[in-house]
């Protein structure tokens, strides 16, 4: 029983710490690939195809993007909305500063790393408890 428990703790330690490190690297790569998103204020207008938002970017250019069904439910019937637009890219906007994918991978990396760290601590405690 003791050997099986030690093996299980060892597996959780290596998978947790190694997998957490790989996921953290992936999160950093995704964060860098996501780019810089700046806050802006957009006007919501009705057009023939639905609703769009229009805003001025950091260089003074006018941008336009259609609203997805999810964005429409979050904005509701408002005439103006707080958005985030991507620097250096025309007509790209979203309603959150950070990407949901980056946030998910970061939280997953933290969770897996915590599992590995907890397993490592348990293995050290068992090492000293057994003498």
């Amino acid at each position: 029983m003791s050997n099986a428990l030690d093996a299980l703790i060892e597996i959780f330690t290596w998978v947790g710490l190694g997998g957490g490190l790989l996921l953290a690297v992936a999160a950093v790569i995704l964060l860098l690939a996501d780019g810089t998103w700046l806050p802006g204020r957009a006007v919501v207008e009705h057009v023939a195809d639905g609703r769009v938002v229009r805003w001025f970017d950091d260089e003074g250019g006018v941008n336009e993007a259609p609203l997805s069904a999810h964005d429409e439910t979050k904005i509701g019937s408002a005439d103006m909305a707080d958005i985030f637009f991507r620097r250096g890219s025309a007509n790209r906007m979203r309603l959150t500063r950070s990407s949901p994918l980056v946030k998910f991978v970061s939280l997953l990396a933290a969770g897996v790393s915590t599992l590995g760290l907890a397993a490592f601590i348990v293995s050290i405690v068992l090492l000293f408890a057994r003498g």
Side-chain angles (χ1 to χ4, degrees):
M1 175 74 176
S2 174
N3 291 337
L5 181 63
D6 288 342
L8 187 64
I9 291 172
E10 183 85 15
I11 290 169
F12 277 137
T13 300
W14 284 106
V15 169
L17 295 178
L21 180 64
L22 288 176
L23 285 169
V25 168
V28 169
I29 291 170
L30 287 171
L31 180 66
L32 293 174
D34 190 35
T36 303
W37 293 79
L38 302 173
R41 188 88 172 138
V43 176
V44 181
E45 295 184 358
H46 296 277
V47 294
D49 296 338
R51 292 181 3 161
V52 297
V53 290
R54 293 187 176 122
W55 70 95
F56 293 106
D57 61 16
D58 59 331
E59 297 172 354
V62 178
N63 293 278
E64 174 182 297
L67 287 176
S68 67
H70 181 261
D71 292 342
E72 283 204 40
T73 58
K74 286 187 88 174
I75 290 176
S77 63
D79 293 335
M80 297 194 73
D82 292 322
I83 63 162
F84 294 92
F85 61 91
R86 185 163 183 188
R87 175 184 283 166
S89 181
N91 303 326
R92 290 195 57 196
M93 75 91 190
R94 63 183 180 205
L95 298 178
T96 59
R97 180 179 291 274
S98 62
S99 168
L101 179 63
V102 173
K103 188 178 289 189
F104 172 74
V105 174
S106 299
L107 289 174
L108 187 61
V112 172
S113 297
T114 302
L115 174 70
L117 185 63
F120 177 72
I121 291 170
V122 167
S123 71
I124 296 296
V125 168
L126 286 177
L127 179 71
F128 284 110
R130 290 180 184 152

